[in-house]
Amino acid sequence: MSSSSSSRTLKIGIIGFGPFGQFLSKTMVKQGHTITATSRSDHSHLSTDLGVSFYRDMDEFFEADNDVIMLCNSILSLSQVVKSMPFHLLKHPTLFVDVLSVKEHPKQLLLEVLPQESDLLCTHPMFGPESGKDGWKDLNFMYDRVRIRDEAVCSSFLQIFGSEGCKMLEMTCEEHDKMAARSQFLTHTIGRALSEMNIESTPIDTKTFQTLVNLKESTMRDSFDLFSGLFIHNKFAQQELKNLEAALDKVKQKLLDRTNKELDPSVSNNR
Amino acid sequence: MSSSSSSRTLKIGIIGFGPFGQFLSKTMVKQGHTITATSRSDHSHLSTDLGVSFYRDMDEFFEADNDVIMLCNSILSLSQVVKSMPFHLLKHPTLFVDVLSVKEHPKQLLLEVLPQESDLLCTHPMFGPESGKDGWKDLNFMYDRVRIRDEAVCSSFLQIFGSEGCKMLEMTCEEHDKMAARSQFLTHTIGRALSEMNIESTPIDTKTFQTLVNLKESTMRDSFDLFSGLFIHNKFAQQELKNLEAALDKVKQKLLDRTNKELDPSVSNNR
Ligand SMILES: NC(=O)c1ccc[n+]([C@@H]2O[C@H](COP(=O)([O-])OP(=O)(O)OC[C@H]3O[C@@H](n4cnc5c(N)ncnc54)[C@H](OP(=O)(O)O)[C@@H]3O)[C@@H](O)[C@H]2O)c1
Ligand SMILES: NC(=O)c1ccc[n+]([C@@H]2O[C@H](COP(=O)([O-])OP(=O)(O)OC[C@H]3O[C@@H](n4cnc5c(N)ncnc54)[C@H](OP(=O)(O)O)[C@@H]3O)[C@@H](O)[C@H]2O)c1
């Protein structure tokens, strides 16, 4: 297969065959790519059902001659997983892709350890098994072409998402992390707080409250590992948590000020 | 028109012709009811456009011989508005209805001041100009038949909402307030906190983050008077604000615990 063809089928190896790796593999298999996987736990039964070859052994997985090796493990396990990767077994330059929900951390770590001749594409599909269950059309896909020499393999990989209708957004890993801390991390934090409160649908829900119940439920479908990864390995997250606390304090203070004004009859209540 | 017919057109007087009173009047006019209104501010121009007769003078409004007088003023202004109502001018027993977003407060206040022969229906349409802009089908309508003797007028009034497809939910004002503090007040609090943070759409929004941006926007369309009314006059709201703060603290603590575990290599990272 010529490397100059605009889109070719790829041999893709997935490291970390959890919920998100499995989810991505379904569309890739459907598109005709050849998928292998390896993971900490044994997912071989499920892999067979999905049309994916599963290797329990990382060495055998590395020897399997993949065009692309895609990291789909948890954010928190990245440094451990990277340490266990037998790069010397690679038979040729390989495109490494990660899909972690934080981006500066894998970029830096992978630039340190990848063989010089291997390419690196850092990506974040801004959707998951729930929001992407009816297809990926109009869902956002962020990527940073950190070190790309084999354009053919890289563009064939990006085409997997482009051809499903994703909005393809090229930006730096740092730009991503800044925005994601204010959007995705914030969303998860609120979803988890609502879960700590045990909020549930009531007979008198407003439409907007129903969206909060849905938010809680979709947040809790993702692992706590994922959520804590968003916090620990995105340097902007801590500040956004502080901003959320400060904002809630401000709202509370405005309510208390208004309450005092209402209670003090010497102050006018007119707007 | 006989008072025993299952649904008759009504003469409805609205006190408080702000965003919500105007919104309700449109559907009532469309259904053929005769609507008059009075308000602190002069809304006479707008009223004409809506097919509503506007009285600047509360006395004239009370003399206008309404079947129903509906309170659509702000929660915070209720005691002041009630004081200004010339009940002695009523020509016959009248059904008083309130639509305030808290329910125990108007129930108690109105039971104290209404003429003995007047009926009282406390209601809360769980929707507004935004969520109800494409019709009221399947939207929740809460009501408490606090003191009803004229069944015909009461059921004709309820039919306004029933016939539009609202889910009609009968419950006590106290049950309402308990649930609404955990749902509507909570939703508004989060929407206002997001607004204090100035969150905005990003190029890499997830679907769930988009719902939070929408929540912020729809919350900020309601007045701060409305929001502070939810807090000041629902006795359950303060506790729910505390619950939200405690929940956010818990989430934060879990994140910090996990961070410490990650930083201390003597502790295993396995799930
Ligand atoms: N879920 C989503 O919607 C979504 C969307 C975009 C990106 N992502 C990213 O995709 C990745 C996977 O997410 P996920 O939803 O599947 O859940 P996750 O909890 O973030 O990751 C689960 C995966 O990490 C592996 N793993 C966890 N701890 C490990 C360890 N100590 N050593 C080796 N492997 C370990 C698991 O292996 P085993 O299964 O073998 O135990 C599993 O494959 C994450 O980096 C996440 O940020 C997820
Ligand atoms: N908006 C909604 O989605 C919604 C849904 C269900 C129930 N409600 C309830 O409906 C009522 C009206 O809500 P709203 O959205 O229109 O906004 P609001 O800010 O809660 O109330 C505005 C109305 O209150 C009147 N008002 C305010 N302060 C007053 C005072 N000191 N003296 C006399 N009148 C005063 C205003 O009169 P002027 O306009 O004449 O200045 C206006 O008619 C509230 O009780 C609210 O809880 C609202």
Side-chain angles (χ1 to χ4, degrees):
Chain A
M1 207 172 289
S2 137
S3 73
S4 68
S5 71
S6 77
S7 187
R8 55 182 250 208
T9 60
L10 295 169
K11 292 178 72 174
I12 302 173
I14 296 178
I15 300 181
F17 208 55
F20 195 61
Q22 293 163 25
F23 166 73
L24 290 181
S25 76
K26 286 177 202 161
T27 298
M28 293 175 171
V29 167
K30 187 196 76 185
Q31 291 186 356
H33 303 287
T34 305
I35 313 296
T36 58
T38 189
S39 206
R40 173 183 59 176
S41 317
D42 185 5
H43 297 287
S44 45
H45 275 296
L46 190 127
S47 300
T48 311
D49 295 346
L50 294 174
V52 170
S53 319
F54 191 82
Y55 294 88
R56 290 247 50 194
D57 184 71
M58 181 76 95
D59 282 5
E60 286 176 32
F61 172 86
F62 260 69
E63 286 164 348
D65 201 25
N66 284 301
D67 301 309
V68 179
I69 290 183
M70 186 167 64
L71 290 149
C72 295
N73 52 293
S74 69
I75 298 165
L76 296 178
S77 65
L78 182 66
S79 63
Q80 203 176 325
V81 166
V82 151
K83 275 190 208 122
S84 70
M85 283 158 67
F87 294 115
H88 62 279
L89 296 177
L90 290 174
K91 291 192 182 131
H92 50 70
T94 306
L95 172 63
F96 282 79
V97 177
D98 88 282
V99 299
L100 273 59
S101 306
V102 297
K103 297 269 49 76
E104 281 219 87
H105 172 62
K107 174 184 163 182
Q108 279 161 16
L109 207 62
L110 289 168
L111 278 179
E112 275 170 30
V113 297
L114 289 189
Q116 263 308 325
E117 62 280 13
S118 281
D119 286 358
L120 175 59
L121 178 71
C122 289
T123 80
H124 187 196
M126 307 302 302
F127 52 94
E130 188 59 24
S131 50
K133 68 171 184 287
D134 300 322
W136 300 355
K137 195 163 152 22
D138 294 332
L139 299 175
N140 293 326
F141 181 90
M142 171 272 162
Y143 64 99
D144 185 354
R145 295 159 45 92
V146 176
R147 187 168 77 196
I148 301 298
R149 282 146 309 184
D150 190 334
E151 292 288 345
V153 168
C154 178
S155 76
S156 295
F157 181 84
L158 290 173
Q159 260 305 95
I160 294 171
F161 297 88
S163 66
E164 297 291 323
C166 287
K167 275 194 216 142
M168 305 299 285
L169 297 155
E170 189 168 3
M171 65 178 68
T172 65
C173 290
E174 177 157 19
E175 284 170 324
H176 168 279
D177 284 2
K178 213 168 207 162
M179 285 191 236
R182 270 186 89 72
S183 55
Q184 191 187 25
F185 169 67
L186 191 66
T187 309
H188 279 247
T189 303
I190 291 172
R192 295 216 163 235
L194 293 171
S195 171
E196 289 288 347
M197 283 186 78
N198 295 315
I199 66 150
E200 299 288 350
S201 270
T202 73
I204 53 165
D205 284 359
T206 57
K207 286 259 173 222
T208 44
F209 178 66
Q210 276 165 0
T211 67
L212 285 186
V213 175
N214 294 341
L215 170 69
K216 177 201 84 165
E217 281 161 11
S218 78
T219 306
M220 297 313 288
R221 267 183 223 113
D222 286 327
S223 68
F224 185 69
D225 270 15
L226 197 162
F227 176 53
S228 33
L230 297 181
F231 179 69
I232 297 172
H233 291 295
N234 182 335
K235 69 179 179 208
F236 302 102
Q238 204 166 0
Q239 184 58 49
E240 295 301 342
L241 180 57
K242 283 191 192 139
N243 292 347
L244 176 60
E245 291 179 302
L248 193 57
D249 267 358
K250 250 192 203 160
V251 171
K252 183 183 170 180
Q253 200 48 54
K254 285 183 178 176
L255 285 175
L256 296 177
D257 288 351
R258 188 65 204 253
T259 307
N260 291 334
K261 210 176 112 190
E262 287 296 312
L263 293 177
D264 179 355
S266 72
V267 181
S268 155
N269 283 329
N270 291 333
R271 283 178 305 187
Chain B
M1 208 173 288
S2 137
S3 75
S4 66
S5 71
S6 77
S7 188
R8 55 180 249 209
T9 59
L10 296 169
K11 291 178 73 176
I12 302 173
I14 296 178
I15 301 182
F17 208 55
F20 195 60
Q22 293 164 24
F23 166 72
L24 291 180
S25 76
K26 286 178 203 161
T27 298
M28 294 175 170
V29 167
K30 185 195 78 184
Q31 291 186 357
H33 303 288
T34 305
I35 312 298
T36 57
T38 188
S39 206
R40 173 184 58 176
S41 318
D42 184 5
H43 296 287
S44 45
H45 275 296
L46 190 125
S47 300
T48 311
D49 295 345
L50 294 173
V52 170
S53 318
F54 191 82
Y55 293 88
R56 289 248 50 192
D57 184 69
M58 182 76 94
D59 281 5
E60 284 176 34
F61 172 86
F62 260 68
E63 285 165 346
D65 201 26
N66 286 300
D67 302 309
V68 179
I69 289 183
M70 188 167 65
L71 290 149
C72 294
N73 53 291
S74 69
I75 298 166
L76 296 178
S77 66
L78 183 66
S79 62
Q80 202 176 327
V81 166
V82 151
K83 275 190 210 124
S84 70
M85 282 158 66
F87 295 113
H88 63 279
L89 297 178
L90 290 174
K91 292 192 181 130
H92 50 71
T94 305
L95 172 62
F96 282 80
V97 177
D98 89 281
V99 299
L100 273 59
S101 306
V102 298
K103 296 269 49 74
E104 282 220 87
H105 173 63
K107 175 183 163 182
Q108 280 162 16
L109 207 62
L110 290 168
L111 278 179
E112 276 170 29
V113 296
L114 289 189
Q116 264 308 324
E117 61 281 11
S118 280
D119 286 359
L120 175 60
L121 177 71
C122 289
T123 80
H124 187 196
M126 308 301 301
F127 52 93
E130 188 58 26
S131 51
K133 69 172 183 284
D134 300 322
W136 302 353
K137 196 165 152 23
D138 294 331
L139 299 175
N140 293 325
F141 182 90
M142 171 274 164
Y143 65 98
D144 185 354
R145 294 159 45 91
V146 176
R147 185 169 79 196
I148 302 298
R149 284 146 307 184
D150 190 336
E151 290 291 344
V153 168
C154 179
S155 76
S156 295
F157 181 84
L158 289 172
Q159 260 305 97
I160 294 171
F161 298 88
S163 65
E164 297 291 324
C166 287
K167 277 195 211 138
M168 306 299 285
L169 298 154
E170 189 168 3
M171 64 179 68
T172 66
C173 290
E174 177 157 21
E175 286 170 323
H176 168 279
D177 284 1
K178 212 169 208 162
M179 285 191 237
R182 269 187 88 72
S183 54
Q184 191 187 24
F185 169 68
L186 192 66
T187 308
H188 278 247
T189 303
I190 291 172
R192 293 214 167 237
L194 293 172
S195 171
E196 290 288 347
M197 282 186 77
N198 295 315
I199 66 152
E200 298 290 351
S201 271
T202 74
I204 54 166
D205 284 359
T206 58
K207 285 257 174 226
T208 44
F209 178 65
Q210 276 164 359
T211 67
L212 285 185
V213 175
N214 294 341
L215 169 69
K216 177 202 84 163
E217 280 162 9
S218 78
T219 306
M220 297 312 289
R221 266 183 224 115
D222 285 328
S223 68
F224 184 71
D225 270 13
L226 197 162
F227 176 54
S228 34
L230 297 180
F231 179 70
I232 297 173
H233 291 295
N234 181 335
K235 70 179 179 208
F236 301 103
Q238 203 166 2
Q239 185 57 50
E240 295 301 343
L241 180 57
K242 283 191 190 139
N243 291 347
L244 175 61
E245 291 179 302
L248 193 57
D249 266 357
K250 249 193 203 160
V251 171
K252 183 183 171 180
Q253 199 49 54
K254 285 184 180 177
L255 285 175
L256 296 176
D257 289 351
R258 187 65 206 253
T259 307
N260 292 334
K261 210 176 115 193
E262 287 295 312
L263 294 177
D264 179 355
S266 71
V267 182
S268 156
N269 284 330
N270 291 334
R271 283 178 306 187

